[in-house]
Amino acid sequence: MSKQTTLDELGEFGLISHITKKFQSQRDTTIRGIGDDCAVLQKDAKNHTLVTTDLLMEGIHFDLLFTPLKHLGYKAVTVNLSDIYAMNGIPESITVSIAVSAKFTVEAIEQLYDGIKLACDTYNVDLIGGDTSSSVTGLAISVTAIGSVPVKQVVYRNTAQINDLICVSGDLGAAYSGLQVMQREQSVYEQTGGAQPQLEGYEYVIERHLKPEARKDIIDQLREANIVPTAMIDISDGLSSELFHICSLSNVGCHIYEDKIPIHKETSQVVAEFEVDPVIPALNGGEDYELLFTVPIDSYKEVLKIKGVSVIGSIVEKEQSLSMITRSGSPVTLKAQGWNTFE
Ligand code: ADP
Ligand code: MG
């Protein structure tokens, strides 16, 4: 028998490129296939269609011991909408597919769909279909989001230019910190045989983990300011990993400044309890669903006017690699340490 390869030898990204390398686009309407936040399809002379999909598995992506089903439904939708916004697009519709085991009641599935409905209403998208199956164990949810973008405004990951400013929305590392708090309270609960979780003072980080929003407001403000970013990605696997995607695909390097990385006060307090430097979850945590984008340097004043955007550094030549200037002024090389599905 020929040598068999384990999944962790390739990792998630290695596996995706391995299984997809034989699939070249065959149709003129496929403007961009695999490799960005969404696939881009030709819709008409003025607009492209955007398509993205995500799969959430119980035990891998969520733990129902501390995830309310309504929140889970909401999050399953917003993480997909985030990928539409990351192309500078507007989401229009979603399909939702679920596989459910016998341990779930109708009322439980109703709660899941209450969250899906809330997200549809909040972001003005229609649920247009899906699929329903039974499952041997646990719950799986797959959402596909469809949107559109004017041809001249679509933004890819691979088009950052040297000297561009690097911008992020909101703040980073909060969702990971919220997950840490909930996992800690869970183990206290188990060890003490039922001590009530202490969640006061952790509301912000927990909300960021359980109920992330997609940054429609940022895309709206960019449009109002007439700014089309040169490159964009949503931050699902930590700032380092997403910078790595933008820089390697654009063939450039970057310099970011540690003291410019936006971190919420509560995030800093929480990570201090775990004796971790707050920059670590910002660089390598997951699930912030903020936007990371680059703009030409002459947009500096305009971009600073956008509520909730920080300028954290600039794009440099590839030879200068990816580095962060620490608070003490010394450069460190960034590594893409995002989540590995198979670890
Ligand atoms: P994101 O983090 O933005 O959701 P991913 O890292 O999941 O993106 O995926 C990277 C790219 O690979 C995307 O273009 C996605 O559509 C594609 N992709 C992921 N898994 C598969 C698969 N099993 N088959 C084909 N394409 C895939
Ligand atoms: Mg994405």
Side-chain angles (χ1 to χ4, degrees), residues 12-13 16 19-20 33-39 52-54 83 157 233-234 236-237 242 245:
E12 179 188 353
F13 296 134
I16 295 171
I19 57 182
T20 57
I34 292 153
D36 217 299
D37 293 292
C38 292
T52 181
T53 195
D54 257 311
D83 278 320
R157 295 175 174 180
I233 189 169
D234 72 328
S236 51
D237 297 336
E242 316 303 355
H245 286 308

Side-chain angles (χ1 to χ4, degrees), residues 189-223:
Y189 180 86
E190 279 163 8
Q191 282 162 19
T192 58
Q196 280 309 300
Q198 296 296 315
L199 302 177
E200 289 95 64
Y202 303 108
E203 290 85 357
Y204 180 74
V205 293
I206 289 175
E207 172 110 357
R208 291 281 307 212
H209 170 70
L210 288 180
K211 191 170 173 280
E213 301 292 346
R215 298 309 303 259
K216 172 184 192 302
D217 58 323
I218 300 292
I219 297 305
D220 289 344
Q221 290 183 77
L222 284 169
R223 211 153 284 193

